[in-house]
Amino acid sequence: MSVLNTLLCPLDKQPLAQEKRSLVCPVGHSFDLAKSGYVNLLPVQNKRSKDPGDSKEMVSSRIAFLALGHYQPIADSIASYVLNLFSSKQSISVLDAGCGDGYYLKRLDDACTANDHVVDFIGLDISKWAIMAASKGSSSIRWVVGSNAAIPSLSKSFDVVTCLFGFPMFSEFSRVLKSQGILLMVDAAADHLIELRKILYPEIRLYEDGLAVGVDGFSLLDEQNLQFAFTLKSQQEIQSLLSMTPHIHKAPFEGKEALKRVESLELTADVKLRWYVKNTVITEND
Ligand SMILES: C[S@@+](CC[C@H](N)C(=O)[O-])C[C@H]1O[C@@H](n2cnc3c(N)ncnc32)[C@H](O)[C@@H]1O
C-alpha cells in the first residue's frame, strides 16, 4: 500500500481517501490538496500557537544556507547508508519527521530513484512555510503539514523514519515504523558550529548528548560522527546560517552585534548520525 493511502484524518484518526483535489475521511472531514500537492493535516485545535514551527524567515534562511551545498556531506552519508540497507529495486518508504524545506529528503529520493528503488516518501513538518517551500518543484514526495506529536499516518507504515535537527517523538516514530523499521537521528555534536558560538556567547555551554543514554523502544545499530570544515564568505551567508539556528533567538544582543562585523567565517560542522532499529514487541496477537 502506498504511504499516501496510510494518511489519517487528524480529527478522528480514520483513513483518508483521495477524492479529486481533497483527502476525505469516512465521516466527511475534508482536507484540500494545494496546487503544489501538499496537504495540511494540522487542525487549528491541535496547534499550540497560531503559526507553529519555523517561521517564513527561518525557512527562507535555511533554503539560502543549504543551497550553498555545505551540508551535502550529511545528505550523502544518509543516502549511502540507506542504499546499503535495501537490496536493489526494493521499495522503500520513508517519513522525514520535521523535514523543513525537504533538503535531505529530496536528496535521498534522488539517490534511491537513481538506484532503481520504488520510493514512497512523506515529508512532515509542523511549519506550513516549510512544507509550502518543500512542495515547490517536487511532486514525487507527499508533503504534509502535521506534528510529530500525532503523526497522521497508520501504524507500521514506514521502513525508515528520519529526524534531523528536529523534535523527536519516539513513541510516534515507533508506532509508524514497520517491524524492524529503521530510525535515523541526526543531531549536533560537541563542536558543531563552535566558531559561530564563540562569537555569539561569552561562555560556551557544556555539550549535553541527550541520546547517549539510549532511546526507548529502539536499539542502536550504528553511530557515525561526521566532521568537516566549510567557509561562509559574506555577511549575508553568515546571517542565513544564524537565522536558521536556535541561536537567532537564544544568543545575546552583544553576540549578534559582534557577528554582524564578521565578513567571512571558517566553521566546523560536527554531527552525529545514529541509526536505530525498532525493538520487536511480542504481543499475544503476534
Ligand atoms: C532545525 S529545523 C530542521 C529542519 C530539517 N530537518 C533540516 O535539517 O533541514 C526543525 C524543524 O522541525 C519543525 N518542527 C518543530 N516542531 C515540530 C513538530 N512538533 N512536529 C513536526 N515538525 C516540527 C520546524 O518547523 C523545523 O522545520
Side-chain angles (χ1 to χ4, degrees):
M1 173 160 61
S2 152
V3 287
L4 174 60
N5 301 322
T6 70
L7 288 177
L8 295 179
C9 171
L11 299 170
D12 54 25
K13 311 279 183 238
Q14 297 290 311
L16 291 167
Q18 186 164 355
E19 283 180 18
K20 295 186 183 150
R21 296 294 301 163
S22 302
L23 299 181
V24 183
C25 83
V27 178
H29 299 125
S30 177
F31 305 88
D32 291 343
L33 290 165
K35 246 192 194 149
S36 58
Y38 79 86
V39 62
N40 191 334
L41 297 181
L42 189 70
V44 181
Q45 51 270 52
N46 290 9
K47 287 189 193 179
R48 295 232 176 113
S49 69
K50 205 167 158 238
D51 192 13
D54 277 10
S55 65
K56 193 176 180 182
E57 292 71 29
M58 286 179 94
V59 171
S60 304
S61 299
R62 179 163 296 109
I63 291 172
F65 171 77
L66 290 172
L68 298 171
H70 297 307
Y71 280 9
Q72 178 78 34
I74 303 173
D76 290 344
S77 292
I78 296 170
S80 77
Y81 197 96
V82 169
L83 288 173
N84 269 327
L85 286 172
F86 295 88
S87 45
S88 164
K89 299 195 179 165
Q90 205 179 339
S91 66
I92 310 176
S93 51
V94 177
L95 169 74
D96 189 3
C99 62
D101 68 295
Y103 175 84
Y104 299 99
L105 194 61
K106 287 175 187 172
R107 271 141 198 87
L108 183 59
D109 181 38
D110 290 345
C112 291
T113 310
N115 280 272
D116 294 332
H117 289 283
V118 178
V119 294
D120 213 358
F121 285 7
I122 289 188
L124 178 82
D125 202 287
I126 205 165
S127 157
K128 70 169 185 256
W129 305 111
I131 292 297
M132 280 164 73
S135 65
K136 290 200 178 113
S138 167
S139 56
S140 59
I141 300 171
R142 175 63 64 189
W143 302 103
V144 179
V145 181
S147 174
N148 290 350
I151 297 172
S153 282
L154 279 172
S155 300
K156 300 186 179 175
S157 294
F158 299 95
D159 299 308
V160 178
V161 170
T162 58
C163 181
L164 289 95
F165 309 108
F167 296 84
M169 201 54 78
F170 294 110
S171 55
E172 276 297 90
F173 294 170
S174 173
R175 181 184 67 76
V176 299
L177 273 170
K178 292 177 187 170
S179 145
Q180 301 291 302
I182 301 293
L183 169 66
L184 166 66
M185 294 295 305
V186 179
D187 289 294
D191 286 336
H192 192 51
L193 308 180
I194 185 73
E195 301 83 357
L196 177 83
R197 289 188 280 137
K198 279 183 178 163
I199 297 171
L200 289 175
Y201 299 98
E203 220 176 291
I204 299 296
R205 283 209 344 228
L206 214 61
Y207 169 66
E208 282 174 37
D209 184 354
L211 300 185
V213 290
V215 170
D216 264 0
F218 291 90
S219 302
L220 186 65
L221 269 183
D222 250 321
E223 186 169 315
Q224 300 166 292
N225 287 301
L226 204 56
Q227 245 199 24
F228 52 90
F230 65 97
T231 306
L232 296 182
K233 296 192 181 108
S234 68
Q235 180 52 219
Q236 200 183 349
E237 291 184 5
I238 293 168
Q239 289 302 325
S240 289
L241 174 64
L242 174 67
S243 309
M244 69 169 230
T245 67
H247 305 303
I248 184 75
H249 302 301
K250 286 190 198 159
F253 174 80
E254 298 73 23
K256 287 193 261 191
E257 287 300 303
L259 192 67
K260 283 184 187 162
R261 295 189 286 273
V262 177
E263 275 311 321
S264 105
L265 190 55
E266 289 193 15
L267 287 152
T268 304
D270 183 17
V271 295
K272 267 191 205 302
L273 280 69
R274 287 187 170 113
W275 299 89
Y276 300 87
V277 62
K278 173 176 163 173
N279 291 339
T280 310
V281 182
I282 302 184
T283 66
E284 281 176 17
N285 299 331
D286 282 336

